[in-house]
């Protein structure tokens, strides 16, 4: 699952699901950073694979984020280790 930070109501996983998340947000999009981080840390606590990346932008989707999203999809599709893995 790829998600560029959402606003509004805070959501977070509450049970383990077998999926991977790639969560992105712009550094200047401060109203959405907290929601993204809550989701990320909740997922990590439940051992759900989540990758969180901040981009140097506001509420936009820069080319770097699109490129990273494609790489993430390819790594999941090919069942390889993502370049973003820790």
């Amino acid at each position: 699952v790829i998600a560029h930070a959402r606003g509004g109501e805070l959501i977070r996983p509450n049970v383990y699901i077998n999926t991977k998340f790639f969560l992105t947000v712009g550094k200047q999009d401060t109203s959405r950073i907290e929601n993204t981080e809550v989701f990320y840390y909740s997922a990590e606590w439940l051992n759900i694979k989540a990758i969180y990346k901040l981009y140097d932008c506001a509420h936009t989707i820069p080319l770097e984020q699109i490129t990273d999203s494609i790489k993430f999809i390819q790594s999941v599709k090919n069942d390889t280790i993502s370049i973003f893995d820790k």
Side-chain angles (χ1 to χ4, degrees), residues 1-32:
V1 176
I2 297 174
H4 190 69
R6 70 182 294 278
E9 182 181 344
L10 177 64
I11 60 169
R12 70 178 116 208
N14 57 9
V15 296
Y16 175 80
I17 54 175
N18 185 21
T19 192
K20 295 180 182 180
F21 287 92
F22 179 44
L23 309 164
T24 66
V25 66
K27 291 178 184 177
Q28 291 84 40
D29 198 359
T30 56
S31 66
R32 296 168 188 264

Side-chain angles (χ1 to χ4, degrees), residues 31-57:
S31 66
R32 296 168 188 264
I33 290 174
E34 182 179 357
N35 283 1
T36 306
E37 289 180 350
V38 167
F39 187 96
Y40 171 74
Y41 290 117
S42 296
E44 287 285 298
W45 188 78
L46 293 167
N47 293 316
I48 299 170
K49 184 64 183 169
I51 298 163
Y52 171 46
K53 187 169 180 184
L54 285 166
Y55 292 88
D56 191 20
C57 65

